[in-house]
Amino acid sequence: MSKPYITETVHNERVKGGHLETCLDGKHTKIDIRMLRQEIPAHCFQPSTFRSISFVIHDLCIYFIILSIFIWLDKRVNYWFGVLIRLIVYPFLASLPLTGLWVLAHECGHGAFSANSVVANIFGFILHSALLAPYFAWRSSHARHHQFANNISTDLNYVPPTKEEYKELFRGKVDLDHMVEDAPIIILFRIVTQQIVGWPWYLLTHITAGPHSSPKPSRGWWDNSHFMASSSLFRPNEFWAIVGSDVGIIATCLALYVGGERFGTSTVLWVYVLPWMWVNHWIVMITYLHHTSPSLPKYTPESWTYIRGALATVDRDPGAVLKYMFHHIIDLHVIHHLFPRIPHYHAREATGAIKHLLGPYYHVDKGSYWRALWIGFTQCQWVEADPDKTLSATLYSTPQASDENVKGSKASNETGVLWYRSGRMPRPATVMHS
């Protein structure tokens, strides 16, 4: 029987903790989340308000330096060079520190920014509102993603269809054994579409979430929005926090309107809107690739545990610049899913402290970050049980599996551990799973 675990999220929900079966020093050992926590130095769980604020100042300084340079250049270059820097170069460069600020606001929501929740929420609210993200609403739904990561029923992010659901998306008119890939131009179009509209559409409709991911039954497609305080996504006691998130979004929109009246719509477009679209792209790419890979499993509710779900995550290598600017949210994400209250500046030390225990359970991909996006779209369309792959992964069975409990667990794994399959892309999702 799996021991319960109270998650380190704003909801503090009790879930199945689970354990890992591994071999340490030649002995069969069971490792649970508490044992992993004990291996990590205590100071890694203690955020420094001063240090966290220094990162905010750091990112703001970089952003305003970039903005100042390009405003100066814009007044001194010819028309076509001006178009190049306004529409392409500046938006891309400005998006890097802005995404860094978004990541710091995300840490505020986890309690990894400051031990003082008031300070953390003030910074998180201001930063996310400035980037048109509903801070308290997303803090709530994202906390449930951490509680139920990679559970195909209750997770909130990029939940793939099962075999039967995938067939239904094509209305049964698909032969999974003789299916050809989409043309590369179609794949590229779908990638670009997801990267541009994926984040705001998720906030509006809760697409890609599991069918039982909301705390309340949904009353329809319109009832799954992060902007509606009475939405199925939130409990009644969260009503006014969600209203507060909306007020922050409205305030930013009013500021943009005033800026447009004073400086011109075109100026607001290239100074704010285009970098903001790049930020949306980074958010989608980062979150999509955290849990989407042919080497990562998904779980049915029967086989899922907190530790299994958290470890179905991969640390990737996006290059030195993105590692630095995005505060290691990409290359040190496994530890973040296990213990979301660890600040990013302690994540490397914490990861190193438990690697020897995780062994093959620790997933890392040093390949091209951009190629991983293509692989996700071509090789990760649906999931099904694959007992042979489950056994060959050496993660879900042990040579000493002789007692009845372990045999039962093995049988459950053969149907409850799901693996990605390649295939054609169905039509884009527009509403939440039901």
Side-chain angles (χ1 to χ4, degrees), residues 3-68:
K3 292 182 179 180
Y5 175 67
I6 298 177
T7 57
E8 297 178 355
T9 69
V10 293
H11 300 309
N12 293 318
E13 287 196 19
R14 186 183 297 266
V15 299
K16 292 188 295 182
H19 63 266
L20 312 175
E21 295 181 2
T22 188
C23 188
L24 290 176
D25 300 324
K27 297 180 181 179
H28 175 236
T29 305
K30 290 184 178 181
I31 300 172
D32 62 14
I33 192 72
R34 297 168 183 82
M35 185 173 177
L36 292 177
R37 186 183 179 95
Q38 289 169 2
E39 288 292 304
I40 299 172
H43 70 264
C44 290
F45 295 92
Q46 299 168 0
S48 164
T49 301
F50 177 81
R51 192 170 180 182
S52 297
I53 292 175
S54 74
F55 281 104
V56 174
I57 296 171
H58 166 274
D59 289 353
L60 286 173
C61 287
I62 293 178
Y63 169 70
F64 283 112
I65 288 171
I66 291 172
L67 177 61
S68 299

Side-chain angles (χ1 to χ4, degrees), residues 147-402:
Q147 290 172 180
F148 304 112
N150 298 300
N151 182 320
I152 63 168
S153 178
T154 52
D155 193 4
L156 287 85
N157 297 139
Y158 304 106
V159 175
T162 61
K163 183 176 183 177
E164 292 307 314
E165 290 171 337
Y166 182 72
K167 286 182 178 180
E168 186 61 29
L169 292 173
F170 291 94
R171 299 183 180 179
K173 298 176 182 179
V174 61
D175 184 351
L176 298 182
D177 296 321
H178 302 89
M179 189 164 40
V180 296
E181 288 187 356
D182 291 298
I185 189 65
I186 299 298
I187 298 171
L188 180 61
F189 173 77
R190 288 291 296 274
I191 290 175
V192 172
T193 301
Q194 172 178 288
Q195 297 309 112
I196 292 176
V197 304
W199 170 240
W201 196 250
Y202 170 76
L203 292 176
L204 284 169
T205 66
H206 205 45
I207 55 168
T208 78
H212 302 103
S213 58
S214 298
K216 297 186 298 185
S218 175
R219 294 167 290 181
W221 62 266
W222 48 269
D223 191 32
N224 307 313
S225 171
H226 282 77
F227 302 102
M228 190 168 70
S230 61
S231 165
S232 67
L233 307 184
F234 310 116
R235 296 176 175 85
N237 64 344
E238 297 178 287
F239 184 92
W240 290 111
I242 309 310
V243 171
S245 296
D246 293 341
V247 170
I249 300 295
I250 293 170
T252 299
C253 290
L254 288 174
L256 292 173
Y257 173 78
V258 172
E261 289 291 301
R262 181 172 180 180
F263 302 107
T265 302
S266 62
T267 299
V268 172
L269 177 67
W270 76 266
V271 169
Y272 179 89
V273 176
L274 293 181
W276 172 76
M277 292 178 67
W278 269 101
V279 172
N280 292 350
H281 149 75
W282 292 123
I283 294 168
V284 173
M285 187 172 184
I286 290 167
T287 54
Y288 178 69
L289 292 180
H290 280 332
H291 307 292
T292 306
S293 168
S295 65
L296 296 178
K298 300 290 182 180
Y299 298 97
T300 63
E302 295 75 23
S303 288
W304 179 89
T305 64
Y306 177 84
I307 196 168
R308 280 185 164 187
L311 288 172
T313 304
V314 59
D315 284 351
R316 298 187 183 273
D317 185 357
V321 173
L322 296 189
K323 284 182 183 179
Y324 178 77
M325 294 304 301
F326 295 170
H327 305 301
H328 300 285
I329 193 67
I330 298 170
D331 58 306
L332 295 172
H333 198 69
V334 173
I335 193 70
H336 175 68
H337 252 278
L338 287 166
F339 304 104
R341 290 180 181 167
I342 293 180
H344 72 273
Y345 42 82
H346 290 318
R348 188 177 305 281
E349 181 181 2
T351 299
I354 62 172
K355 267 188 182 181
H356 70 286
L357 291 179
L358 295 179
Y361 291 95
Y362 175 66
H363 297 279
V364 61
D365 184 351
K366 296 295 185 181
S368 167
Y369 192 55
W370 292 91
R371 185 172 181 272
L373 191 59
W374 187 271
I375 291 173
F377 269 76
T378 55
Q379 299 182 27
C380 303
Q381 287 299 317
W382 54 284
V383 292
E384 70 172 349
D386 186 340
D388 291 336
K389 185 169 183 177
T390 297
L391 291 174
S392 66
T394 67
L395 303 183
Y396 309 101
S397 63
T398 171
Q400 288 101 342
S402 56

